[in-house]
Amino acid sequence: MGAEVGDEDHKQRLAQLEARIAAARSASTPKLHQEEHYSQAHLAWRMVIELVAGLMIGFGIGYGLDRLLGTLPIFLVLFTLLGLAAGIKTMMRSAQEIQTDKLADAAVQGDEEEERTSGD
C-alpha cells in the first residue's frame, strides 16, 4: 500500500511539472524576426499594388474614352488623376486597417501579460 501512495504522489508531481513546463513554453514563444519581416514586406507590396491598380484602371478608362470619343487625351489625364486619388485612398484605408489590427494585437498581448503577472 505504501508503494501506491508513492506512485500517486510521483504522478501528481509529474503532472504539475508538465503543466508548469507547458505554461512556461506558451509564455515565452517569441515571434520570429523573419516572419515579421515577411509580413511587413507583404503589407508594403499590398499598398504598392493598390496604388498601381488605381492608376492603371484610371488610365485604362481614360484611354478608352478618348479613343471612343476621338478627343484629345483629356479623359486620359483626368481619369489617371482620379485613379491616383482612388489608389491613395485605398492605400490609406489599408494602412488604417493594419494599424487597427496592430493596436488590437498589442492590447491582447498586454492583457495576457497582465494576467500572467497578476496570477503569480
Side-chain angles (χ1 to χ4, degrees):
M1 188 156 183
E4 290 177 10
V5 172
D7 286 340
E8 286 296 320
D9 184 45
H10 180 66
K11 288 180 183 178
Q12 184 180 16
R13 288 178 55 206
L14 187 59
Q16 288 174 350
L17 179 61
E18 287 175 352
R20 287 176 50 201
I21 289 172
R25 282 185 181 162
S26 67
S28 66
T29 53
K31 258 189 179 177
L32 294 177
H33 180 67
Q34 290 177 341
E35 289 178 10
E36 183 69 25
H37 172 70
Y38 289 125
S39 176
Q40 294 297 323
H42 170 73
L43 297 175
W45 274 111
R46 176 183 167 190
M47 290 182 162
V48 168
I49 289 170
E50 289 171 348
L51 181 64
V52 171
L55 277 169
M56 295 305 291
I57 290 170
F59 178 85
I61 292 172
Y63 182 77
L65 284 173
D66 277 335
R67 293 286 291 179
L68 183 68
L69 300 174
T71 59
L72 295 174
I74 294 171
F75 289 115
L76 177 78
V77 172
L78 178 68
F79 278 92
T80 301
L81 291 175
L82 288 174
L84 177 66
I88 290 173
K89 184 178 178 182
T90 305
M91 214 172 67
M92 296 301 286
R93 190 178 319 127
S94 295
Q96 188 176 11
E97 287 176 16
I98 293 165
Q99 185 177 12
T100 303
D101 289 346
K102 285 193 183 262
L103 290 174
D105 288 345
V108 168
Q109 287 177 353
D111 290 344
E112 290 173 355
E113 183 67 29
E114 186 177 309
E115 288 176 7
R116 269 188 295 227
T117 56
S118 65
D120 291 338

